């Protein structure tokens, strides 16, 4: 039985179509992964279901009594109450039962007799049964588990919400929505502010969730683990694929072969996805063999695919020395918490270093220490002479909103020296049309601005690229292009990410925060590391 039905819906903004002839049903127990490029209409579809937008034509029907929970990456709680108080307030019905049971206990102390005693006993039995049915004995555990898994310390739980950062408020909003137990979940990029432990908990929670869900996410591993259908917003329409993301990667090329080629490079990128999925399966079985095979493939001479030729043509002019930088005995303490202690490592040409660890452990602080935005308490970072770095997050924050896409990119490093046609081919990979190139950055969506910053970072001409959660605002195709660009980048890459699929495709080395200042260095990617841990 379907609880939400969308029939022949059309939606435009200022005459520009976003959705056209859209048909969709959400049935009980379905968990749909909604994917598509930035600006394709994913969030618009969710707003139509919520009634925040009206269709220009067609109907959106929702069954009576269906409770919908909505979370977006911009959901933020506010106020003077703490997170614990807000979540505790969700269980007012349980508190009412507790008060009623307390009144009965007081009544027993007055030594009632006969019929009065029988009435109290019957009332107590009824309340205890209702308490059991509503899960009243475990609600405090549910609150504590949600906050613990989402990384909330005691201070974050008890301080006023207004004192929390935007990221922590988002996580609080997510916890609140999940504990409300709606019939249908609409989740718009729920993974953006979660570390791996939080992701695993959310995956487990969603797999146990009895209702239906629509999940907008670029996190391919997350989609693989929680959805049973992929719906892609493509050319204003919805195209459904039964199964998870891996099934989608396998099925879409078959469908594309029967259609006129609409996106010049998309099929090649899907081939890379399929290859990465196969590599992960191999790595999970035998991490040592997978690493040797990956190195052998790197050495193998193969005819480059069109996507790769566009990327390598840009990087031809970039020459990088073997030694990039060296961290020597770095120590950093923040509010009596040792983030990292006596940490030493080197970064060389060709290294792809992924920094992993739970929220708040010090990953971003380490990044800022490396790029000299923050001084260590002890130790130093030694850079080889003439080495430059490009910090994606800094580039994003400093975008000139009055500049155009084309000019902003063409004046940087490698782009400045390359023929403009070659740069624009690179930008076409990043899904910028000819019309987009003349747009002011201030008129772009957050995802489009992220693509401008990413293009500037990749074409900066720096020997080291530093990225802190770069996939948060990117759609899947942009992430795939970034992965190919990073694979061919002649220099070194340091990245903080919770996206396990992305880490598998990019990383050759991990720096893992283990707590109490300990950071270990691991060769390989996420899957080889996890497989090695299981074997040992």
């Amino acid at each position: 039985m379907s609880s939400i039905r969308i029939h022949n819906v059309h939606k435009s903004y200022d005459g520009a179509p976003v959705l056209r002839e859209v048909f969709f049903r959400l049935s009980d127990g379905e968990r749909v992964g909604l994917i598509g490029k930035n600006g394709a209409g994913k969030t618009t579809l969710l707003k139509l279901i919520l009634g925040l937008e009206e269709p220009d034509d067609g109907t959106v029907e929702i069954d009576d009594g269906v409770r919908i929970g909505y979370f977006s990456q911009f959901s933020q709680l506010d106020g003077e109450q703490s997170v614990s108080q807000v979540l505790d307030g969700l269980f007012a019905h349980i508190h009412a039962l507790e008060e009623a049971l307390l009144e009965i206990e007081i009544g027993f102390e007055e030594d009632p007799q006969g019929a009065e005693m029988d009435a109290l006993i019957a009332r107590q039995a009824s309340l205890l049964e209702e308490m059991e049915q509503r899960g009243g004995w475990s609600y405090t555990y549910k609150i504590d588990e949600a906050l613990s898994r989402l990384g909330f310390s005691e201070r974050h739980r008890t301080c006023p919400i207004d004192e929390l950062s935007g990221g922590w408020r988002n996580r609080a909003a997510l916890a609140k929505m999940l504990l409300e137990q709606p019939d249908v979940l609409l989740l718009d990029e729920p993974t953006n502010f979660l570390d791996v432990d939080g992701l695993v908990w959310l995956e487990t929670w969603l797999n146990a969730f009895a209702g239906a869900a629509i999940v907008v996410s670029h996190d391919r591993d997350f989609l693989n683990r929680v959805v049973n259908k992929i719906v892609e917003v493509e050319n204003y329409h919805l195209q459904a694929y039964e199964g998870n993301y891996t099934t989608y990667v396998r099925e879409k090329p078959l469908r594309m072969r029967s259609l006129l080629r609409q996106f010049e490079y998309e099929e090649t990128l899907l081939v890379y996805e399929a290859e990465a999925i196969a590599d992960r399966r191999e790595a999970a079985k035998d991490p040592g063999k997978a690493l040797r095979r990956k190195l052998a493939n790197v050495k193998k001479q193969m005819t480059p695919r069109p996507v790769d030729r566009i990327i390598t043509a840009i990087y031809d002019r970039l020459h990088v020395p073997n030694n990039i930088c060296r961290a020597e005995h770095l120590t950093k303490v923040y509010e009596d918490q040792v983030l990292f202690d006596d940490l030493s490592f080197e970064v060389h040409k060709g290294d792809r270093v992924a920094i992993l660890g739970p929220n708040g452990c010090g990953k971003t602080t380490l990044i800022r220490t490396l790029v000299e935005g923050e001084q260590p308490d002890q130790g130093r970072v030694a850079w080889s002479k003439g080495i430059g770095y490009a910090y994606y997050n800094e580039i994003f924050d400093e975008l000139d909103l009055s500049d155009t896409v084309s000019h902003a990119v063409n004046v940087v490093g490698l782009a400045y020296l390359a023929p403009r046609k070659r740069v624009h081919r690179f930008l076409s990979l990043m899904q910028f049309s000819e019309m987009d190139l003349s747009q002011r950055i201030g008129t772009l969506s957050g995802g489009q601005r992220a693509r401008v910053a990413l293009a500037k970072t990749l074409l900066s001409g720096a020997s080291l690229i530093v990225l802190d959660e770069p996939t948060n605002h990117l759609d899947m195709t942009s992430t795939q292009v970034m992965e190919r660009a990073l694979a061919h980048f002649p220099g070194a890459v340091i990245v903080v990410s919770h996206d396990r699929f992305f880490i598998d495709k990019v990383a050759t080395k991990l720096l893992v925060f283990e707590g109490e200042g300990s950071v270990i260095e691991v060769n390989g990617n996420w899957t080889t590391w996890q497989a090695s841990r299981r074997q040992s």
Side-chain angles (χ1 to χ4, degrees), residues 38 42 73-74 167 170-171 188-195 199 216-220 359 364 392-393 396 446-448 450-451 454 467-476 478-479 482 495-499 502:
N38 294 129
K42 303 185 296 295
Q73 57 183 319
F74 305 109
N170 275 338
R171 272 179 269 179
D188 194 351
E189 300 291 4
T191 68
N192 275 0
F193 296 95
L194 301 183
D195 56 24
L199 275 173
V216 176
S217 180
H218 62 271
D219 188 322
R220 292 154 290 184
N359 287 324
T364 297
Y392 162 78
N393 304 72
F396 181 87
Q448 289 170 318
R451 281 188 267 139
L454 180 60
L467 310 108
D468 193 348
E469 299 291 4
T471 65
N472 272 359
H473 300 291
L474 298 179
D475 57 37
M476 286 183 185
S478 299
T479 299
M482 173 173 61
V495 59
V496 172
S497 180
H498 64 267
D499 187 329
F502 172 71

Side-chain angles (χ1 to χ4, degrees), residues 400-465:
D400 181 354
L401 302 186
S402 64
D403 203 357
T404 65
V405 173
S406 177
H407 181 264
V409 175
N410 273 287
V411 296
V412 300
L414 297 175
Y416 185 75
L417 299 173
R420 181 158 296 202
K421 183 177 180 180
R422 185 177 294 175
V423 176
H424 285 183
R425 289 184 71 196
F426 185 87
L427 288 173
S428 73
L429 277 181
M430 301 296 297
Q431 301 173 75
F432 287 109
S433 67
E434 287 296 324
M435 189 186 310
D436 293 333
L437 298 181
S438 60
Q439 278 194 261
R440 302 286 178 186
I441 294 173
T443 67
L444 302 178
S445 69
Q448 289 170 318
R449 292 184 194 181
R451 281 188 267 139
V452 175
L454 180 60
K456 292 187 67 171
T457 304
L458 295 172
L459 301 178
S460 64
S463 298
L464 173 67
I465 289 176

